[in-house]
Amino acid sequence: MATPKSILFVCLGNICRSPAAEGIMRSIATDSDITIDSAGTGGYHIGQLPDKRMRIHASQRGLRLDHHCRQVSPSDFEDFDLIIGMDGSNIANLRRIAPSPEAEKKIHAMAEYFNPSTRWDHVPDPYYEGAEGFELVLDLLEEGCQNLFNQITTGK
Ligand code: 4NP
């Protein structure tokens, strides 16, 4: 594939993990022309700002999360080059939404971009967790987004 120019991060609710990934990638890719957005496979929180706990933890790292929740749609597969799911359930749902086998090839797991030494194969849902859950998500996303950005910009 040609160098990706647009990335959509996807989780279940679009109020914790994917808006955090969007905010982190925006902060890393400030000087690039990459389009970045996020969406959820579920429709429970449409229109809402990210979960207050995630906004607080992100703000402690200098990130302001102001995305408004929206649901993934088949047209996202036309609008974005890379569609990145946070866990296996997100990926399975994205495969169902993908309008064609070609579109399905745009789906990737966030964990593909973790450091080899990282002992996680997904970004765990922090919704029913405490502060450590939110911190873990932010740690994993900072690592994964930086590696993804490096991969895109070096073309490797
Ligand atoms: P997210 O977390 O998928 O990272 O945004 C969740 C947010 C809300 C719910 C589940 C997960 N929920 O069930 O409402």
Side-chain angles (χ1 to χ4, degrees):
M1 204 221 312
T3 308
K5 286 279 172 223
S6 50
I7 306 169
L8 181 68
F9 293 102
V10 175
C11 61
L12 171 60
N14 191 214
I15 55 167
C16 296
R17 293 167 290 175
S18 61
E22 177 191 339
I24 288 167
M25 196 51 139
R26 282 188 194 285
S27 76
I28 293 170
T30 37
D31 293 329
S32 81
D33 57 356
I34 301 171
T35 300
I36 301 156
D37 196 7
S38 67
T41 58
Y44 322 109
H45 301 280
I46 290 171
Q48 294 177 13
L49 279 171
D51 186 288
K52 191 167 185 182
R53 295 166 295 172
M54 183 52 93
R55 279 189 281 143
I56 289 170
H57 284 277
S59 74
Q60 289 164 357
R61 300 182 187 215
L63 297 167
R64 187 162 171 270
L65 305 183
D66 54 8
H67 175 79
H68 287 266
C69 174
R70 72 171 182 87
Q71 199 163 11
V72 187
S73 85
S75 65
D76 284 318
F77 285 85
E78 287 163 31
D79 297 339
F80 292 90
D81 297 329
L82 272 181
I83 301 190
I84 299 183
M86 297 294 140
D87 64 26
S89 166
N90 306 150
I91 304 266
N93 284 319
L94 282 167
R95 288 201 198 293
R96 276 193 280 277
I97 299 163
S100 67
E102 205 54 41
E104 223 177 302
K105 291 182 191 158
K106 295 184 171 184
I107 302 169
H108 291 264
M110 191 71 225
E112 288 174 37
Y113 310 101
F114 293 167
N115 294 336
S117 58
T118 296
R119 295 172 66 185
W120 285 92
D121 61 3
H122 66 288
V123 183
D125 184 350
Y127 196 64
Y128 296 105
E129 304 295 331
E132 314 77 36
F134 286 85
E135 288 296 313
L136 171 63
V137 166
L138 289 167
D139 288 343
L140 290 172
L141 291 176
E142 282 180 348
E143 172 182 310
C145 285
Q146 186 63 60
N147 290 339
L148 170 58
F149 183 73
N150 293 350
Q151 200 180 97
I152 290 172
T153 50
T154 61
K156 282 185 208 149

